[in-house]
């Protein structure tokens, strides 16, 4: 998948003047869960039942929760090399963490720290100067106003002039001319209002469905209501619930996702980027290394080329 590490710069020049929200861009859902393990702590936002089971039978609960928390197997650099350009970053401050140790969360807290991950992304971008990433900072469990300011300070210090300030959605040619490579979408409105470097939260179409056909019907319904004005995400990720987990203890999110791939892939290949109301933009999925997902999303951009 490494041959897609520079797919943006390798697009047909005709597409360099298309705004990013009219392109087809692959994304990863819950990007950072690849670094969870059985000893990762269950997040304080998880259900009381999970916390109870974690205390009573931790040797069973930890491995089971991990199977349903992990949504990616590639690390962040591998995802970027594979062509992923939208990263879904659920940021948290763990209760026993030090004041500045912000991590990531999806039912469990990661050991990976936000500063280290941003540094890894910035180093990758320096090696790929014409690639652009969209960082969606979300969730913010346990975050105070001070911690938001600290986090934005990290973003500004690490990415610096790579940041594209909020405004009209740019084209690749405009970003290359300004040597900008990073759009940061930030889910906390109060913080966004204080910093020009932050973009408002990018809408994410989340179906919250266990069954693939239900999820795809939801996405089609959303398309029927018309696309948002700017960047937006169609999430082709199926979602378990606690009831499903307890009834299927030997199953896992990965197995569940891979079973759904034929229908998901068929839906992805039928999509059309562009500016019409029914068009898609960012398509984000779990286990992005599976079934040629990234290359299929990128290849949709060919539909924008004049015959």
């Amino acid at each position: 998948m490494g041959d897609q590490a520079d797919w943006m710069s390798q697009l047909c020049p005709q597409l360099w003047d298309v705004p990013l929200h009219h392109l087809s861009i692959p994304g990863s859902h819950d990007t950072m869960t690849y670094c969870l393990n059985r000893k990762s702590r269950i997040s304080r936002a998880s259900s009381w039942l999970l916390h109870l089971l974690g205390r009573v039978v931790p040797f069973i609960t930890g491995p089971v929760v991990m199977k349903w928390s992990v949504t990616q197997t590639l690390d962040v650099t591998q995802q970027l090399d594979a062509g992923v350009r939208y990263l879904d970053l659920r940021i948290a401050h763990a209760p026993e963490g030090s004041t500045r140790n912000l991590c990531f969360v999806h039912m469990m807290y990661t050991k990976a720290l936000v500063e280290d991950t941003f540094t890894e992304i910035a180093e990758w971008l320096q090696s790929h100067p014409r690639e652009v990433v969209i960082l969606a900072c979300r969730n913010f469990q346990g975050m105070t106003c001070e911690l938001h300011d600290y986090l934005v300070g990290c973003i500004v210090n690490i990415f610096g002039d790579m940041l594209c300030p909020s405004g009209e959605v740019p084209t690749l040619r405009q970003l290359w001319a300004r040597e900008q490579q990073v759009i940061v979408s930030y889910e906390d409105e109060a913080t966004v209002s204080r910093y020009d470097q932050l973009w408002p939260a990018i809408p994410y179409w989340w179906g919250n469905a266990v069954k693939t056909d239900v999820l795809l019907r939801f996405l089609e319904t959303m398309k029927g209501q018309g696309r948002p004005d700017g960047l937006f995400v169609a999430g082709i990720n199926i979602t378990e619930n606690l009831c499903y987990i307890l009834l299927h203890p030997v199953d896992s999110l990965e197995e569940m996702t891979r079973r759904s791939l034929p229908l998901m892939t068929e839906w992805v290949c039928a999509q059309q980027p562009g500016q019409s109301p029914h068009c898609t933009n960012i398509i984000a999925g779990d286990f992005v290394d599976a079934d040629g997902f990234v290359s299929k999303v990128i290849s949709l951009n060919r539909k924008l080329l004049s015959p």
Side-chain angles (χ1 to χ4, degrees):
M1 285 185 290
D3 59 341
Q4 291 170 170
D6 295 289
W7 71 263
M8 286 179 152
S9 61
Q10 293 165 1
L11 281 174
C12 174
Q14 197 176 324
L15 300 178
W16 296 353
D17 296 307
V18 174
L20 293 183
H21 63 312
H22 296 157
L23 292 176
S24 182
I25 298 173
S28 59
H29 169 250
D30 268 310
T31 300
M32 297 302 298
T33 55
Y34 62 84
C35 54
L36 293 173
N37 60 49
R38 295 175 178 208
K39 294 183 179 176
S40 298
R41 290 183 43 245
I42 294 172
S43 85
R44 59 181 156 192
S46 295
S47 77
W48 65 269
L49 181 55
L50 272 188
H51 281 280
L52 177 63
L53 292 170
R55 286 195 297 272
V56 177
V57 281
F59 52 92
I60 296 174
T61 307
V64 169
V65 174
M66 192 197 82
K67 285 197 306 178
W68 292 97
S69 301
V70 172
T71 64
Q72 306 296 340
T73 51
L74 301 181
D75 67 32
V76 73
T77 294
Q78 290 170 329
Q79 289 182 39
L80 292 168
D81 281 340
V84 170
R85 294 293 176 268
Y86 166 91
L87 304 179
D88 174 24
L89 305 172
R90 315 290 179 96
I91 295 172
H93 180 253
E96 278 90 46
S98 74
T99 312
R100 296 299 188 229
N101 281 3
L102 297 179
C103 61
F104 302 95
V105 66
H106 181 227
M107 291 202 281
M108 308 173 98
Y109 297 113
T110 67
K111 290 278 192 261
L113 299 179
V114 172
E115 264 191 273
D116 296 340
T117 301
F118 284 167
T119 301
E120 189 177 342
I121 294 167
E123 288 171 352
W124 187 90
L125 287 167
Q126 285 165 0
S127 304
H128 302 269
R130 280 156 72 91
E131 297 303 297
V132 176
V133 298
I134 299 157
L135 307 181
C137 298
R138 310 173 65 195
N139 199 279
F140 301 128
Q141 271 186 44
M143 295 275 288
T144 60
C145 184
E146 290 74 23
L147 282 172
H148 279 294
D149 287 337
Y150 167 70
L151 175 56
V152 178
C154 290
I155 290 169
V156 172
N157 289 338
I158 291 167
F159 295 111
D161 293 337
M162 287 183 184
L163 291 170
C164 171
S166 178
E168 278 190 27
V169 180
T171 67
L172 286 172
R173 197 189 297 273
Q174 288 169 336
L175 289 166
W176 295 339
R178 304 177 207 147
E179 298 185 352
Q180 294 170 348
Q181 292 179 269
V182 183
I183 287 176
V184 178
S185 150
Y186 206 87
E187 210 169 49
D188 185 75
E189 290 181 15
T191 307
V192 170
S193 69
R194 297 200 303 274
Y195 295 97
D196 293 339
Q197 298 95 331
L198 304 179
W199 291 64
I202 293 172
Y204 192 109
W205 291 353
W206 177 52
N208 192 19
V210 173
K211 294 184 176 178
T212 315
D213 57 337
V214 175
L215 169 63
L216 297 181
R217 276 202 304 274
F218 163 79
L219 293 175
E220 287 300 312
T221 300
M222 295 300 289
K223 281 171 59 182
Q225 295 171 6
R227 51 167 296 145
D229 292 334
L231 293 156
F232 73 101
V233 187
I236 59 161
N237 46 289
I238 48 178
T239 305
E240 79 298 330
N241 52 43
L242 186 56
C243 178
Y244 187 94
I245 292 172
L246 295 175
L247 291 173
H248 301 80
V250 297
D251 206 351
S252 71
L253 185 59
E254 182 167 9
E255 289 164 20
M256 191 174 159
T257 299
R258 291 188 189 274
R259 286 196 298 271
S260 73
L261 283 174
L263 277 176
M264 299 274 208
T265 301
E266 187 181 334
W267 185 86
V268 168
C269 292
Q271 299 315 300
Q272 166 77 47
Q275 55 189 310
S276 298
H278 65 279
C279 290
T280 52
N281 175 209
I282 300 163
I283 302 177
D286 293 331
F287 305 103
V288 293
D289 55 321
D291 203 33
F293 163 73
V294 175
S295 58
K296 287 180 173 72
V297 176
I298 294 169
S299 67
L300 293 175
N301 288 301
R302 292 182 199 143
K303 297 183 181 183
L304 291 170
L305 298 174
S306 301

